[in-house]
Amino acid sequence: MKLDAFTLNDLYTWGAQLRLLVEALATLAFALSGVLAGARKRLDVVGVCVVACLAAFGGGTVRDLLLDRRPFFWVAQHELLWLVLIVSVLSMRLLRLRGRHHGLTERAILWPDAVGLGLFTASGVHYALVAQMPLLVAALMGVITGMFGGVLRDMVCNEVPVSLRDHRPYALLSFLGGWIYIACQYLTDWAAWVAIFACVFTTVGLRMLALWRDWRLPDWRA
Amino acid sequence: MKLDAFTLNDLYTWGAQLRLLVEALATLAFALSGVLAGARKRLDVVGVCVVACLAAFGGGTVRDLLLDRRPFFWVAQHELLWLVLIVSVLSMRLLRLRGRHHGLTERAILWPDAVGLGLFTASGVHYALVAQMPLLVAALMGVITGMFGGVLRDMVCNEVPVSLRDHRPYALLSFLGGWIYIACQYLTDWAAWVAIFACVFTTVGLRMLALWRDWRLPDWRA
Amino acid sequence: MKLDAFTLNDLYTWGAQLRLLVEALATLAFALSGVLAGARKRLDVVGVCVVACLAAFGGGTVRDLLLDRRPFFWVAQHELLWLVLIVSVLSMRLLRLRGRHHGLTERAILWPDAVGLGLFTASGVHYALVAQMPLLVAALMGVITGMFGGVLRDMVCNEVPVSLRDHRPYALLSFLGGWIYIACQYLTDWAAWVAIFACVFTTVGLRMLALWRDWRLPDWRA
């Protein structure tokens, strides 16, 4: 009886729950990068929460503003807001207890951050194509969704955004992943989820490869 | 004859005019904080006006953008725009004559600024509830309306926003006031203005108490 | 036969193409100012492209967000996006080869930048009047369109925006040009293009005069 009930419908539900879980993880990774940035600037608890929210929700909010989409995703899923606020306060407490592990945390955060970049890129391209944007705009919307959370986080912390001066490929991989999404969509007749998966795997895989092999973009001193 | 005419309608008109007066005062207080910030950075007259406008109208504009409300309140009441521009130029002249009183002005500005915080919080929560936002989003919309004018003012002046690193409760009180608004609205059957008054009085009162008793949020060095 | 075909329609087409050419030039001038700002901060190729796009499209995007106009002009004319991206990468290569000519480029850029300011001002005022904004808001929308690209460029580069602290008239001339547009529209019964030309010529001419004669706004040290 129980085995009979294991139908495609269940699989779909499992898939949706898995997606939600991964999305929540990606949002949390971005939020955690905000907490670390706030801690480095010695902000108070309000500052840490604001920077964490900007990092986690900034990119998607800019995307939704530009595409004129309502409700915002953090309104439709306001559980994420609670999650980010609570995790920010808790991790701030934790950081205060053991401040010497910042470096470790920072390196550990690069992996979920890469997953976040891939997922946010795919969502940006997806919604832009749904809104009938030109292809270049769709690819850029993926980049904006993936990188503008970090840009806003660094701007409010009074830093030049790390993704603009890091010389390690980040937004460029998101741009590439966006074009792969578009290519899958327009050049093949595969299902929609193939495009999403190809985009996410390209972006995340290349980002991890770039971190592992320490790839660098050409610098000013040639 | 004149006394007969003193009806509820007159009272309503008086109330509306009082509200307009207080709102104008709060906007001016925020604008003045922008003038002071611009003067400290030695901006020119255009810079001072831009920073004053960002401080005065920034929070409400972000709120209206996020809630998709048009026209903006500074379009509907563009007299406020004239007022802020004229007051900015005049107070800039005044500051140039007597630059040594900056400190005095800064302390004096904290009181109308507290009133502004309370009023802006109430307006943010109110419009968010009208737009059927979830409760947490409504409370945060109050905080955004109250604090983002100052955040934009400090960002354009190339500073870490003072409300994020000050360790004196500001946005936190606005958050608390927002929840009190929501509680009054949902747990009681009192009139709508009770919720507004409770929110404003809580926020303003606690802010003044916090300034007077020099309350501090926990810092990083425990 | 060929001469016969030279009709008003052709003239109109020529005019539209001329306008497009000048607009593209103005956008490129703003983009180039972004490339120079990014080069000075030693950003990577992504950073330079982001700053160039913010400088070129930021003002118009803020205008369109505030006036609730869609599609954005860089969506409707996404050839401009390609142009800005390609020119950014190419001019970055060029700058790397001959870094010592920055100063020269910076002065050379002031002239197309002035043209850009005039054109962007006229477009801001035009769309605001079409959207039935109050006159002051329309004049300010011209200023916002003209100056906010540069403001965003400098904010993301972690500088106090140059247009706020330069003491050379820039936004003020755009404000003046905006009022001239409005005056032509409301006080005369001349054709619409007269207002546009008067606004652009006033702004650009005064800006060039101001640069040539080195006009200064009053400074804080009286």
Side-chain angles (χ1 to χ4, degrees):
Chain A
M1 183 67 191
K2 210 178 166 198
L3 272 169
D4 282 317
F6 186 82
T7 59
L8 256 180
N9 199 31
D10 280 355
L11 252 185
Y12 179 78
T13 315
W14 284 25
Q17 278 173 351
L18 185 70
R19 196 180 55 91
L20 206 68
L21 188 74
V22 177
E23 262 186 17
L25 272 181
T27 304
L28 277 184
F30 277 27
L32 219 53
S33 79
V35 173
L36 287 177
R40 214 174 300 132
K41 287 280 173 178
R42 311 209 135 259
L43 303 182
D44 56 29
V45 61
V46 170
V48 166
C49 286
V50 168
V51 175
C53 283
L54 275 179
F57 303 119
T61 305
V62 170
R63 175 199 68 202
D64 289 355
L65 270 178
L66 293 180
L67 293 178
D68 213 5
R69 289 185 68 240
R70 304 297 154 94
F72 293 118
F73 72 111
W74 46 269
V75 171
Q77 294 172 332
H78 59 277
E79 301 83 12
L80 272 180
L81 261 179
W82 279 115
L83 194 68
V84 164
L85 287 181
I86 291 169
V87 166
S88 300
V89 173
L90 286 184
S91 57
M92 191 186 163
R93 288 223 84 117
L94 215 73
L95 276 178
R96 237 173 70 186
L97 291 181
R98 41 181 74 213
R100 60 198 175 285
H101 295 324
H102 275 205
L104 185 70
T105 324
E106 230 160 309
R107 251 174 303 130
I109 223 176
L110 286 174
W111 308 107
D113 179 88
V115 177
L117 179 69
L119 287 166
F120 277 41
T121 300
S123 82
V125 177
H126 174 75
Y127 288 127
L129 289 179
V130 167
Q132 311 257 317
M133 290 288 142
L135 300 188
L136 175 61
V137 174
L140 288 178
M141 215 51 89
V143 176
I144 288 173
T145 312
M147 90 185 290
F148 262 65
V151 168
L152 286 175
R153 173 198 67 204
D154 294 347
M155 279 175 77
V156 91
C157 283
N158 204 17
E159 303 272 356
V160 177
V162 70
S163 53
L164 304 185
R165 63 178 160 77
D166 192 36
H167 287 92
R168 283 188 295 189
Y170 185 80
L172 214 57
L173 303 177
S174 151
F175 191 57
L176 187 68
W179 281 110
I180 283 179
Y181 188 112
I182 294 169
C184 285
Q185 182 107 329
Y186 283 86
L187 303 182
T188 73
D189 51 356
W190 300 335
W193 61 265
V194 176
I196 297 181
F197 268 67
C199 166
V200 173
F201 278 128
T202 313
T203 310
V204 178
L206 282 179
R207 172 67 179 161
M208 287 183 169
L209 200 62
L211 285 175
W212 180 44
R213 307 292 298 173
D214 200 26
W215 287 349
R216 299 276 163 172
L217 297 173
D219 204 343
W220 286 95
R221 252 168 253 270
Chain B
M1 182 66 191
K2 210 179 167 199
L3 271 167
D4 283 318
F6 187 82
T7 59
L8 255 179
N9 199 32
D10 280 354
L11 252 185
Y12 180 78
T13 314
W14 284 25
Q17 278 174 352
L18 185 69
R19 196 180 55 92
L20 207 68
L21 187 75
V22 177
E23 261 185 18
L25 272 181
T27 303
L28 278 184
F30 277 28
L32 219 52
S33 79
V35 173
L36 288 177
R40 214 173 300 132
K41 288 280 172 177
R42 310 209 134 260
L43 304 182
D44 56 30
V45 62
V46 171
V48 167
C49 286
V50 168
V51 175
C53 283
L54 275 179
F57 303 120
T61 305
V62 171
R63 175 199 68 203
D64 289 355
L65 270 178
L66 294 179
L67 294 178
D68 213 4
R69 288 185 68 240
R70 305 297 153 94
F72 292 118
F73 72 111
W74 46 269
V75 171
Q77 294 172 330
H78 58 277
E79 301 83 13
L80 273 180
L81 262 179
W82 279 114
L83 194 68
V84 164
L85 287 180
I86 291 168
V87 166
S88 300
V89 173
L90 287 184
S91 58
M92 191 186 163
R93 288 223 85 117
L94 214 72
L95 277 178
R96 236 173 71 186
L97 291 181
R98 40 180 74 212
R100 60 198 175 285
H101 295 324
H102 276 204
L104 185 70
T105 323
E106 231 161 307
R107 251 175 301 130
I109 224 176
L110 285 174
W111 308 107
D113 179 90
V115 177
L117 180 69
L119 286 166
F120 277 41
T121 299
S123 82
V125 178
H126 173 75
Y127 288 127
L129 289 179
V130 167
Q132 311 257 316
M133 291 286 142
L135 300 189
L136 176 61
V137 174
L140 288 178
M141 215 51 89
V143 176
I144 288 173
T145 313
M147 89 185 290
F148 261 65
V151 168
L152 287 175
R153 174 198 67 204
D154 294 346
M155 279 176 78
V156 91
C157 283
N158 204 17
E159 303 273 356
V160 178
V162 70
S163 53
L164 304 185
R165 63 177 160 76
D166 192 35
H167 287 92
R168 284 187 295 188
Y170 186 79
L172 215 56
L173 303 178
S174 151
F175 191 57
L176 187 67
W179 282 111
I180 284 180
Y181 188 112
I182 293 168
C184 285
Q185 182 107 329
Y186 282 87
L187 304 182
T188 73
D189 52 356
W190 301 335
W193 61 265
V194 177
I196 297 181
F197 269 67
C199 166
V200 173
F201 278 128
T202 313
T203 310
V204 178
L206 283 178
R207 172 67 179 161
M208 287 182 169
L209 200 62
L211 285 175
W212 180 45
R213 307 292 299 173
D214 200 26
W215 287 349
R216 298 276 162 172
L217 296 173
D219 204 344
W220 286 96
R221 254 168 254 270
Chain C
M1 184 65 193
K2 210 180 167 196
L3 271 167
D4 282 317
F6 186 82
T7 60
L8 255 180
N9 199 32
D10 280 354
L11 253 184
Y12 180 79
T13 315
W14 284 24
Q17 279 173 352
L18 185 70
R19 196 180 55 92
L20 207 68
L21 188 74
V22 176
E23 262 186 18
L25 271 181
T27 303
L28 278 184
F30 277 27
L32 220 51
S33 79
V35 173
L36 288 176
R40 213 173 302 132
K41 287 281 173 178
R42 310 210 135 259
L43 303 182
D44 56 29
V45 62
V46 171
V48 166
C49 286
V50 168
V51 175
C53 283
L54 276 179
F57 303 120
T61 305
V62 170
R63 175 199 68 203
D64 289 356
L65 270 179
L66 293 180
L67 294 178
D68 213 5
R69 288 186 69 239
R70 305 298 153 95
F72 292 118
F73 72 110
W74 46 269
V75 171
Q77 295 171 331
H78 58 277
E79 301 82 13
L80 273 180
L81 261 179
W82 280 114
L83 194 69
V84 164
L85 287 180
I86 291 168
V87 166
S88 300
V89 173
L90 287 183
S91 57
M92 191 186 164
R93 288 222 84 116
L94 215 73
L95 277 178
R96 234 171 74 187
L97 292 180
R98 41 180 74 213
R100 60 197 176 286
H101 295 323
H102 276 205
L104 184 69
T105 325
E106 230 161 308
R107 251 175 302 130
I109 224 175
L110 286 174
W111 309 107
D113 179 89
V115 177
L117 179 69
L119 286 166
F120 277 40
T121 300
S123 82
V125 178
H126 174 75
Y127 287 128
L129 289 178
V130 167
Q132 311 257 316
M133 290 287 141
L135 300 188
L136 176 61
V137 174
L140 288 178
M141 215 52 88
V143 176
I144 288 173
T145 312
M147 90 185 290
F148 261 65
V151 168
L152 287 175
R153 174 198 67 205
D154 294 346
M155 279 176 77
V156 91
C157 283
N158 203 18
E159 303 273 357
V160 177
V162 69
S163 53
L164 304 185
R165 64 177 159 77
D166 192 35
H167 287 92
R168 283 188 295 189
Y170 185 80
L172 215 57
L173 303 178
S174 151
F175 191 57
L176 187 68
W179 282 110
I180 284 180
Y181 187 113
I182 294 168
C184 285
Q185 183 107 331
Y186 282 86
L187 303 182
T188 73
D189 52 356
W190 301 335
W193 61 265
V194 176
I196 297 181
F197 268 67
C199 167
V200 173
F201 278 128
T202 313
T203 310
V204 178
L206 283 178
R207 171 69 179 162
M208 287 183 169
L209 200 62
L211 285 175
W212 180 45
R213 308 291 299 173
D214 200 26
W215 287 349
R216 299 274 162 174
L217 296 174
D219 204 344
W220 285 95
R221 252 169 254 271

